[in-house]
PDB file of all heavy atoms in Angstrom:
ATOM      1  N   LYS P 218     -11.789 -12.257  10.211  1.00 89.00           N
ATOM      2  CA  LYS P 218     -13.001 -12.698   9.463  1.00 89.00           C
ATOM      3  C   LYS P 218     -13.012 -11.932   8.205  1.00 89.00           C
ATOM      4  O   LYS P 218     -12.918 -10.661   8.250  1.00 89.00           O
ATOM      5  CB  LYS P 218     -14.258 -12.371  10.231  1.00 89.00           C
ATOM      6  CG  LYS P 218     -15.543 -12.727   9.524  1.00 89.00           C
ATOM      7  CD  LYS P 218     -16.775 -12.271  10.325  1.00 89.00           C
ATOM      8  CE  LYS P 218     -18.085 -12.616   9.581  1.00 89.00           C
ATOM      9  NZ  LYS P 218     -19.315 -12.154  10.276  1.00 89.00           N
ATOM     10  N   LEU P 219     -12.944 -12.568   7.085  1.00 95.00           N
ATOM     11  CA  LEU P 219     -12.836 -11.839   5.724  1.00 95.00           C
ATOM     12  C   LEU P 219     -14.271 -11.783   5.180  1.00 95.00           C
ATOM     13  O   LEU P 219     -15.047 -12.638   5.118  1.00 95.00           O
ATOM     14  CB  LEU P 219     -12.036 -12.665   4.777  1.00 95.00           C
ATOM     15  CG  LEU P 219     -10.580 -12.640   4.996  1.00 95.00           C
ATOM     16  CD1 LEU P 219      -9.841 -13.601   4.098  1.00 95.00           C
ATOM     17  CD2 LEU P 219      -9.879 -11.201   4.912  1.00 95.00           C
ATOM     18  N   PRO P 225     -15.835  -4.892 -10.531  1.00 98.00           N
ATOM     19  CA  PRO P 225     -15.799  -5.355 -12.003  1.00 98.00           C
ATOM     20  C   PRO P 225     -14.714  -6.440 -12.135  1.00 98.00           C
ATOM     21  O   PRO P 225     -14.865  -7.205 -13.032  1.00 98.00           O
ATOM     22  CB  PRO P 225     -15.414  -4.084 -12.770  1.00 98.00           C
ATOM     23  CG  PRO P 225     -16.120  -3.050 -11.931  1.00 98.00           C
ATOM     24  CD  PRO P 225     -16.046  -3.434 -10.505  1.00 98.00           C
ATOM     25  N   HIS P 244      -1.633  -2.461   1.051  1.00 98.00           N
ATOM     26  CA  HIS P 244      -0.347  -3.314   1.283  1.00 98.00           C
ATOM     27  C   HIS P 244       0.283  -3.444  -0.033  1.00 98.00           C
ATOM     28  O   HIS P 244      -0.072  -2.946  -1.055  1.00 98.00           O
ATOM     29  CB  HIS P 244      -0.697  -4.625   1.861  1.00 98.00           C
ATOM     30  CG  HIS P 244      -1.633  -5.527   0.990  1.00 98.00           C
ATOM     31  ND1 HIS P 244      -1.134  -6.167  -0.097  1.00 98.00           N
ATOM     32  CD2 HIS P 244      -2.897  -5.708   1.030  1.00 98.00           C
ATOM     33  CE1 HIS P 244      -2.087  -6.737  -0.709  1.00 98.00           C
ATOM     34  NE2 HIS P 244      -3.184  -6.462   0.030  1.00 98.00           N
ATOM     35  N   PHE P 247       3.269  -9.484  -2.668  1.00 95.00           N
ATOM     36  CA  PHE P 247       3.546 -10.599  -1.819  1.00 95.00           C
ATOM     37  C   PHE P 247       3.190 -10.336  -0.407  1.00 95.00           C
ATOM     38  O   PHE P 247       3.840 -10.817   0.522  1.00 95.00           O
ATOM     39  CB  PHE P 247       4.937 -11.030  -1.891  1.00 95.00           C
ATOM     40  CG  PHE P 247       5.331 -11.800  -3.200  1.00 95.00           C
ATOM     41  CD1 PHE P 247       6.318 -11.363  -3.931  1.00 95.00           C
ATOM     42  CD2 PHE P 247       4.600 -12.982  -3.444  1.00 95.00           C
ATOM     43  CE1 PHE P 247       6.674 -12.134  -5.124  1.00 95.00           C
ATOM     44  CE2 PHE P 247       4.924 -13.618  -4.605  1.00 95.00           C
ATOM     45  CZ  PHE P 247       5.980 -13.302  -5.420  1.00 95.00           C
ATOM     46  N   GLN P 255      -0.021  -5.495  13.756  1.00 97.00           N
ATOM     47  CA  GLN P 255       0.595  -4.945  14.955  1.00 97.00           C
ATOM     48  C   GLN P 255       0.131  -3.545  15.223  1.00 97.00           C
ATOM     49  O   GLN P 255       0.153  -3.042  16.356  1.00 97.00           O
ATOM     50  CB  GLN P 255       2.110  -5.028  14.861  1.00 97.00           C
ATOM     51  CG  GLN P 255       2.777  -6.390  14.796  1.00 97.00           C
ATOM     52  CD  GLN P 255       4.130  -6.455  14.710  1.00 97.00           C
ATOM     53  OE1 GLN P 255       4.866  -5.814  15.616  1.00 97.00           O
ATOM     54  NE2 GLN P 255       4.744  -6.975  13.728  1.00 97.00           N
ATOM     55  N   ASN P 281     -11.302 -12.260 -11.831  1.00 98.00           N
ATOM     56  CA  ASN P 281     -11.835 -12.753 -13.079  1.00 98.00           C
ATOM     57  C   ASN P 281     -10.715 -12.999 -14.152  1.00 98.00           C
ATOM     58  O   ASN P 281      -9.774 -12.200 -14.090  1.00 98.00           O
ATOM     59  CB  ASN P 281     -12.909 -11.758 -13.692  1.00 98.00           C
ATOM     60  CG  ASN P 281     -14.060 -11.651 -12.807  1.00 98.00           C
ATOM     61  OD1 ASN P 281     -14.378 -12.520 -12.049  1.00 98.00           O
ATOM     62  ND2 ASN P 281     -14.842 -10.494 -12.953  1.00 98.00           N
ATOM     63  N   ASP P 300     -16.106   2.495  -4.249  1.00 98.00           N
ATOM     64  CA  ASP P 300     -17.439   2.737  -4.896  1.00 98.00           C
ATOM     65  C   ASP P 300     -18.405   1.490  -4.347  1.00 98.00           C
ATOM     66  O   ASP P 300     -19.494   1.844  -3.943  1.00 98.00           O
ATOM     67  CB  ASP P 300     -17.327   2.653  -6.338  1.00 98.00           C
ATOM     68  CG  ASP P 300     -16.737   3.915  -6.958  1.00 98.00           C
ATOM     69  OD1 ASP P 300     -16.567   4.898  -6.155  1.00 98.00           O
ATOM     70  OD2 ASP P 300     -16.443   3.840  -8.139  1.00 98.00           O
ATOM     71  N   ASP P 313       4.324   0.655   0.807  1.00 96.00           N
ATOM     72  CA  ASP P 313       5.062  -0.304  -0.145  1.00 96.00           C
ATOM     73  C   ASP P 313       4.509  -0.078  -1.637  1.00 96.00           C
ATOM     74  O   ASP P 313       5.178   0.555  -2.482  1.00 96.00           O
ATOM     75  CB  ASP P 313       5.012  -1.753   0.267  1.00 96.00           C
ATOM     76  CG  ASP P 313       5.910  -2.429  -0.711  1.00 96.00           C
ATOM     77  OD1 ASP P 313       7.077  -2.022  -1.003  1.00 96.00           O
ATOM     78  OD2 ASP P 313       5.562  -3.671  -1.052  1.00 96.00           O
ATOM     79  N   THR P 321      -5.576  10.244  -8.029  1.00 98.00           N
ATOM     80  CA  THR P 321      -5.869  11.597  -8.526  1.00 98.00           C
ATOM     81  C   THR P 321      -5.588  11.816  -9.921  1.00 98.00           C
ATOM     82  O   THR P 321      -6.417  12.360 -10.691  1.00 98.00           O
ATOM     83  CB  THR P 321      -5.022  12.616  -7.663  1.00 98.00           C
ATOM     84  OG1 THR P 321      -5.365  12.469  -6.252  1.00 98.00           O
ATOM     85  CG2 THR P 321      -5.244  14.042  -8.020  1.00 98.00           C
ATOM     86  N   LEU P 332      -4.991  11.385   2.997  1.00 98.00           N
ATOM     87  CA  LEU P 332      -3.974  10.488   2.685  1.00 98.00           C
ATOM     88  C   LEU P 332      -2.977  10.294   3.839  1.00 98.00           C
ATOM     89  O   LEU P 332      -2.700  11.256   4.451  1.00 98.00           O
ATOM     90  CB  LEU P 332      -3.216  10.763   1.476  1.00 98.00           C
ATOM     91  CG  LEU P 332      -4.003  11.042   0.141  1.00 98.00           C
ATOM     92  CD1 LEU P 332      -2.985  11.416  -0.894  1.00 98.00           C
ATOM     93  CD2 LEU P 332      -4.673   9.759  -0.329  1.00 98.00           C
ATOM     94  N   ALA P 356       9.479 -11.841 -13.239  1.00 76.00           N
ATOM     95  CA  ALA P 356       8.286 -11.707 -14.081  1.00 76.00           C
ATOM     96  C   ALA P 356       8.564 -12.099 -15.508  1.00 76.00           C
ATOM     97  O   ALA P 356       7.559 -12.478 -16.185  1.00 76.00           O
ATOM     98  CB  ALA P 356       7.672 -10.356 -13.960  1.00 76.00           C
ATOM     99  N   LEU P 369      11.290 -16.663  -0.994  1.00 93.00           N
ATOM    100  CA  LEU P 369      10.850 -15.848   0.200  1.00 93.00           C
ATOM    101  C   LEU P 369      10.680 -16.776   1.407  1.00 93.00           C
ATOM    102  O   LEU P 369      10.852 -16.243   2.581  1.00 93.00           O
ATOM    103  CB  LEU P 369       9.589 -15.095  -0.102  1.00 93.00           C
ATOM    104  CG  LEU P 369       9.684 -13.876  -0.948  1.00 93.00           C
ATOM    105  CD1 LEU P 369       8.430 -13.310  -1.324  1.00 93.00           C
ATOM    106  CD2 LEU P 369      10.597 -12.837  -0.243  1.00 93.00           C
ATOM    107  N   ILE P 371      12.559 -19.162   2.240  1.00 94.00           N
ATOM    108  CA  ILE P 371      13.917 -19.543   2.789  1.00 94.00           C
ATOM    109  C   ILE P 371      14.449 -18.399   3.628  1.00 94.00           C
ATOM    110  O   ILE P 371      14.894 -17.466   3.010  1.00 94.00           O
ATOM    111  CB  ILE P 371      14.782 -20.083   1.677  1.00 94.00           C
ATOM    112  CG1 ILE P 371      14.094 -21.209   0.866  1.00 94.00           C
ATOM    113  CG2 ILE P 371      16.213 -20.472   2.223  1.00 94.00           C
ATOM    114  CD1 ILE P 371      14.948 -21.557  -0.360  1.00 94.00           C
ATOM    115  N   VAL P 394       5.461 -14.827   6.354  1.00 96.00           N
ATOM    116  CA  VAL P 394       5.772 -14.979   5.003  1.00 96.00           C
ATOM    117  C   VAL P 394       5.029 -16.179   4.429  1.00 96.00           C
ATOM    118  O   VAL P 394       4.664 -16.234   3.241  1.00 96.00           O
ATOM    119  CB  VAL P 394       7.308 -15.093   4.713  1.00 96.00           C
ATOM    120  CG1 VAL P 394       7.674 -15.337   3.411  1.00 96.00           C
ATOM    121  CG2 VAL P 394       7.879 -13.678   5.232  1.00 96.00           C
ATOM    122  N   GLY P 396       2.117 -17.331   5.197  1.00 96.00           N
ATOM    123  CA  GLY P 396       0.762 -16.845   4.956  1.00 96.00           C
ATOM    124  C   GLY P 396       0.760 -15.999   3.695  1.00 96.00           C
ATOM    125  O   GLY P 396      -0.184 -16.140   2.898  1.00 96.00           O
ATOM    126  N   ASP P 410      -2.808 -13.876 -11.746  1.00 96.00           N
ATOM    127  CA  ASP P 410      -3.121 -12.504 -11.314  1.00 96.00           C
ATOM    128  C   ASP P 410      -1.855 -11.718 -11.053  1.00 96.00           C
ATOM    129  O   ASP P 410      -1.690 -10.600 -11.563  1.00 96.00           O
ATOM    130  CB  ASP P 410      -3.994 -12.445 -10.004  1.00 96.00           C
ATOM    131  CG  ASP P 410      -5.469 -12.863 -10.355  1.00 96.00           C
ATOM    132  OD1 ASP P 410      -5.762 -13.077 -11.480  1.00 96.00           O
ATOM    133  OD2 ASP P 410      -6.176 -13.056  -9.411  1.00 96.00           O
ATOM    134  N   ASP P 427       2.128  11.080 -13.178  1.00 97.00           N
ATOM    135  CA  ASP P 427       0.975  10.676 -12.401  1.00 97.00           C
ATOM    136  C   ASP P 427       1.206  10.873 -10.924  1.00 97.00           C
ATOM    137  O   ASP P 427       0.260  11.101 -10.302  1.00 97.00           O
ATOM    138  CB  ASP P 427       0.751   9.217 -12.747  1.00 97.00           C
ATOM    139  CG  ASP P 427       0.169   8.958 -14.108  1.00 97.00           C
ATOM    140  OD1 ASP P 427      -0.225  10.012 -14.772  1.00 97.00           O
ATOM    141  OD2 ASP P 427       0.168   7.806 -14.569  1.00 97.00           O
ATOM    142  N   ARG P 432      -0.447  17.183  -6.626  1.00 97.00           N
ATOM    143  CA  ARG P 432      -0.472  18.604  -6.444  1.00 97.00           C
ATOM    144  C   ARG P 432      -1.836  19.152  -6.461  1.00 97.00           C
ATOM    145  O   ARG P 432      -2.231  20.277  -5.902  1.00 97.00           O
ATOM    146  CB  ARG P 432       0.379  19.426  -7.153  1.00 97.00           C
ATOM    147  CG  ARG P 432       0.140  19.478  -8.782  1.00 97.00           C
ATOM    148  CD  ARG P 432       0.886  20.522  -9.495  1.00 97.00           C
ATOM    149  NE  ARG P 432       2.341  20.528  -9.076  1.00 97.00           N
ATOM    150  CZ  ARG P 432       3.334  19.878  -9.765  1.00 97.00           C
ATOM    151  NH1 ARG P 432       3.042  19.268 -10.914  1.00 97.00           N
ATOM    152  NH2 ARG P 432       4.508  19.975  -9.468  1.00 97.00           N
ATOM    153  N   GLY P 454      10.131  11.189   0.242  1.00 96.00           N
ATOM    154  CA  GLY P 454       9.216  11.706   1.200  1.00 96.00           C
ATOM    155  C   GLY P 454       9.150  13.187   1.188  1.00 96.00           C
ATOM    156  O   GLY P 454       8.060  13.773   1.288  1.00 96.00           O
ATOM    157  N   ARG P 456       9.940  15.125  -1.435  1.00 96.00           N
ATOM    158  CA  ARG P 456       9.453  15.577  -2.613  1.00 96.00           C
ATOM    159  C   ARG P 456       7.821  15.455  -2.606  1.00 96.00           C
ATOM    160  O   ARG P 456       7.180  16.393  -3.104  1.00 96.00           O
ATOM    161  CB  ARG P 456       9.873  14.631  -3.790  1.00 96.00           C
ATOM    162  CG  ARG P 456      11.242  15.060  -4.257  1.00 96.00           C
ATOM    163  CD  ARG P 456      11.756  14.015  -5.434  1.00 96.00           C
ATOM    164  NE  ARG P 456      11.053  14.227  -6.589  1.00 96.00           N
ATOM    165  CZ  ARG P 456      11.204  13.359  -7.702  1.00 96.00           C
ATOM    166  NH1 ARG P 456      12.094  12.488  -7.618  1.00 96.00           N
ATOM    167  NH2 ARG P 456      10.516  13.557  -8.774  1.00 96.00           N
ATOM    168  N   ILE P 461       2.419  18.165  -2.409  1.00 97.00           N
ATOM    169  CA  ILE P 461       1.078  18.131  -1.987  1.00 97.00           C
ATOM    170  C   ILE P 461       0.790  19.330  -1.156  1.00 97.00           C
ATOM    171  O   ILE P 461       1.400  19.488  -0.081  1.00 97.00           O
ATOM    172  CB  ILE P 461       0.708  16.782  -1.337  1.00 97.00           C
ATOM    173  CG1 ILE P 461       1.088  15.643  -2.185  1.00 97.00           C
ATOM    174  CG2 ILE P 461      -0.743  16.804  -1.032  1.00 97.00           C
ATOM    175  CD1 ILE P 461       1.039  14.245  -1.500  1.00 97.00           C
ATOM    176  N   ARG P 467       6.678  13.563   8.506  1.00 96.00           N
ATOM    177  CA  ARG P 467       7.186  13.216   9.767  1.00 96.00           C
ATOM    178  C   ARG P 467       8.208  12.003   9.567  1.00 96.00           C
ATOM    179  O   ARG P 467       7.863  11.112   8.840  1.00 96.00           O
ATOM    180  CB  ARG P 467       6.098  12.709  10.786  1.00 96.00           C
ATOM    181  CG  ARG P 467       5.106  13.687  11.249  1.00 96.00           C
ATOM    182  CD  ARG P 467       5.662  14.856  11.988  1.00 96.00           C
ATOM    183  NE  ARG P 467       6.241  14.432  13.172  1.00 96.00           N
ATOM    184  CZ  ARG P 467       5.658  14.438  14.316  1.00 96.00           C
ATOM    185  NH1 ARG P 467       4.362  14.744  14.320  1.00 96.00           N
ATOM    186  NH2 ARG P 467       6.213  14.033  15.502  1.00 96.00           N
ATOM    187  N   LEU P 475       7.174   0.110   7.806  1.00 97.00           N
ATOM    188  CA  LEU P 475       7.131   0.755   9.143  1.00 97.00           C
ATOM    189  C   LEU P 475       6.091   0.127  10.042  1.00 97.00           C
ATOM    190  O   LEU P 475       6.234   0.178  11.227  1.00 97.00           O
ATOM    191  CB  LEU P 475       6.827   2.252   8.992  1.00 97.00           C
ATOM    192  CG  LEU P 475       8.013   3.053   8.261  1.00 97.00           C
ATOM    193  CD1 LEU P 475       7.506   4.554   8.065  1.00 97.00           C
ATOM    194  CD2 LEU P 475       9.273   2.877   9.055  1.00 97.00           C
ATOM    195  N   SER P 476       5.048  -0.394   9.436  1.00 97.00           N
ATOM    196  CA  SER P 476       4.059  -1.092  10.286  1.00 97.00           C
ATOM    197  C   SER P 476       4.550  -2.312  10.963  1.00 97.00           C
ATOM    198  O   SER P 476       4.039  -2.715  12.113  1.00 97.00           O
ATOM    199  CB  SER P 476       2.869  -1.415   9.515  1.00 97.00           C
ATOM    200  OG  SER P 476       3.016  -2.354   8.434  1.00 97.00           O
ATOM    201  N   ARG P 485       0.527   5.736  16.632  1.00 97.00           N
ATOM    202  CA  ARG P 485       0.398   7.059  17.336  1.00 97.00           C
ATOM    203  C   ARG P 485       0.251   8.192  16.345  1.00 97.00           C
ATOM    204  O   ARG P 485      -0.542   9.065  16.450  1.00 97.00           O
ATOM    205  CB  ARG P 485       1.605   7.293  18.242  1.00 97.00           C
ATOM    206  CG  ARG P 485       1.574   8.578  19.048  1.00 97.00           C
ATOM    207  CD  ARG P 485       2.639   8.672  20.036  1.00 97.00           C
ATOM    208  NE  ARG P 485       3.962   8.904  19.423  1.00 97.00           N
ATOM    209  CZ  ARG P 485       5.005   8.056  19.442  1.00 97.00           C
ATOM    210  NH1 ARG P 485       4.728   6.931  19.973  1.00 97.00           N
ATOM    211  NH2 ARG P 485       6.070   8.307  18.799  1.00 97.00           N
ATOM    212  N   GLY P 488      -3.019   7.892  14.438  1.00 98.00           N
ATOM    213  CA  GLY P 488      -4.208   8.154  15.436  1.00 98.00           C
ATOM    214  C   GLY P 488      -4.298   9.625  15.631  1.00 98.00           C
ATOM    215  O   GLY P 488      -5.352  10.202  15.624  1.00 98.00           O
TER     216      GLY P 488
END
Side-chain angles (χ1 to χ4, degrees):
K218 179 182 178 181
L219 288 175
H244 61 79
F247 282 125
Q255 296 180 57
N281 296 337
D300 286 346
D313 186 43
T321 299
L332 302 175
L369 283 172
I371 302 172
V394 176
D410 290 348
D427 289 348
R432 62 167 49 95
R456 282 177 68 183
I461 307 170
R467 299 295 298 269
L475 293 177
S476 59
R485 185 174 67 247

